[in-house]
Amino acid sequence: MVLIQATDLTKQYNDVVAVDGIDFEIRDKELLVLVGPSGCGKSSTLRLLAGLEDITDGELRMDGKLVNDVSPKDRNVSMVFQNYALFPHMSARRNMTFGMKSRGSFDDEEIDERVREAAELLGIEDLLDRKPGELSGGEKQRVAIGRAIVRDPDVFLLDEPLSNLDAKLKTQMRAELATVHDDIEATTIYVTHDQTEAMSLGDRIAVMNNGEIQQIGDPQTVYDYP
Ligand code: ADP
Ligand code: ADP
């Protein structure tokens, strides 16, 4: 089943065309990697998917509905950022529960249970009372991933989540993210400039350049290209 469908999707900032009329489909529970050089329009595409930016032209549908017609609170989309974007004055646990508590749609028992499950999956059970300043880069990123998955998202977006980590941690976190993807069964769009990351994680890969998708396919087809 196709969950996300973009048709002639375009994003322009003043005179910069960041996303230049792209078409793609993402199947339910698939992991699609958007890969390409800095400035090619990956983040802008992701931000359109997240509803953080208005669409300039074209169409974006999730589950058949135009995203503009669905209010953000009815869209179960969560996002992980390169710089973690954790609240510095809140504990890891509070960072993870804040969004759910402010929505008011879960009771405390369910929130505790979800935090326990996410923390176990990410191996951060012992870090939940610490604030971001007391965590390493990898630990902060695990908490940020925990915050995103604790809501059980339908659509999970990641923007260069590993680019601030050293090489060794990158390899380790890549494996962890593959496990997380298998476990949470969310449709996942993962942005990176790193081909190795794209190859090892993607069910399919979309190669972007200059605001356009140049190729889209499974890792073998895309990188066997002469
Ligand atoms: P990538 O994620 O591939 O690095 P971006 O989507 O961030 O690419 O950027 C694509 C282009 O759009 C770049 O030229 C960038 O400078 C420009 N751009 C991105 N965001 C904005 C913005 N908020 N205002 C103006 N230009 C932007
Ligand atoms: P990334 O591309 O990895 O997301 P950037 O540093 O390019 O990171 O962008 C960070 C933020 O700055 C984003 O919100 C993006 O929209 C905005 N941005 C990027 N390029 C520009 C630009 N040329 N002018 C204004 N804002 C920009």
Side-chain angles (χ1 to χ4, degrees):
M1 185 185 103
V2 171
L3 190 81
I4 297 172
Q5 191 168 30
T7 313
D8 196 27
L9 184 65
T10 302
K11 178 65 191 179
Q12 185 162 354
Y13 305 97
N14 306 313
D15 52 356
V16 178
V17 182
V19 179
D20 196 2
I22 62 176
D23 299 282
F24 60 84
E25 288 184 344
I26 307 175
R27 294 187 280 267
D28 194 19
K29 305 193 187 353
E30 172 175 47
L31 195 163
L32 179 79
V33 178
L34 289 180
V35 65
S38 177
C40 72
K42 305 180 297 295
S43 287
S44 298
T45 305
L46 206 64
R47 294 165 59 80
L48 292 172
L49 288 163
L52 295 171
E53 300 274 2
D54 291 329
I55 293 167
T56 308
D57 207 357
E59 248 183 40
L60 187 57
R61 289 178 186 272
M62 278 190 198
D63 223 357
K65 297 186 229 26
L66 288 172
V67 293
N68 321 48
D69 293 346
V70 183
S71 79
K73 77 173 186 21
D74 293 328
R75 246 186 263 149
N76 194 9
V77 176
S78 65
M79 184 151 164
V80 171
F81 301 89
Q82 178 178 346
N83 58 3
Y84 322 121
L86 296 170
F87 294 111
H89 59 290
M90 291 182 190
S91 68
R93 179 190 302 280
R94 183 98 178 98
N95 265 285
M96 288 169 71
T97 57
F98 178 76
M100 280 190 296
K101 286 200 198 256
S102 57
R103 272 174 155 214
S105 37
F106 304 95
D107 63 38
D108 285 352
E109 205 174 317
E110 177 163 16
I111 290 176
D112 285 347
E113 175 61 17
R114 284 172 174 239
V115 169
R116 206 188 53 73
E117 280 175 17
E120 193 185 323
L121 180 65
L122 291 158
I124 54 171
E125 300 100 316
D126 296 338
L127 308 177
L128 293 176
D129 294 324
R130 296 202 205 162
K131 291 186 178 160
E134 301 161 327
L135 298 170
S136 71
E139 290 168 346
K140 283 200 268 271
Q141 193 54 293
R142 288 192 185 94
V143 172
I145 292 164
R147 177 177 60 185
I149 65 174
V150 79
R151 288 172 37 198
D152 203 5
D154 297 321
V155 177
F156 183 31
L157 307 173
L158 303 105
D159 193 356
E160 301 267 7
L162 308 185
S163 57
N164 285 337
L165 306 177
D166 65 45
K168 187 161 165 246
L169 200 51
K170 228 177 241 188
T171 311
Q172 186 186 334
M173 289 290 295
R174 210 158 66 207
E176 287 184 21
L177 277 171
T179 311
V180 167
H181 173 69
D182 287 343
D183 192 89
I184 68 173
E185 301 195 313
T187 303
T188 303
I189 300 102
Y190 186 102
V191 160
T192 181
H193 62 271
D194 182 328
Q195 290 196 4
T196 314
E197 231 165 273
M199 284 287 274
S200 72
L201 276 172
D203 295 323
R204 284 192 310 146
I205 297 178
V207 182
M208 285 192 80
N209 201 10
N210 251 325
E212 296 178 359
I213 291 182
Q214 293 194 319
Q215 296 184 63
I216 187 164
D218 62 57
Q220 277 319 311
T221 351
V222 167
Y223 284 110
D224 277 349
Y225 203 64

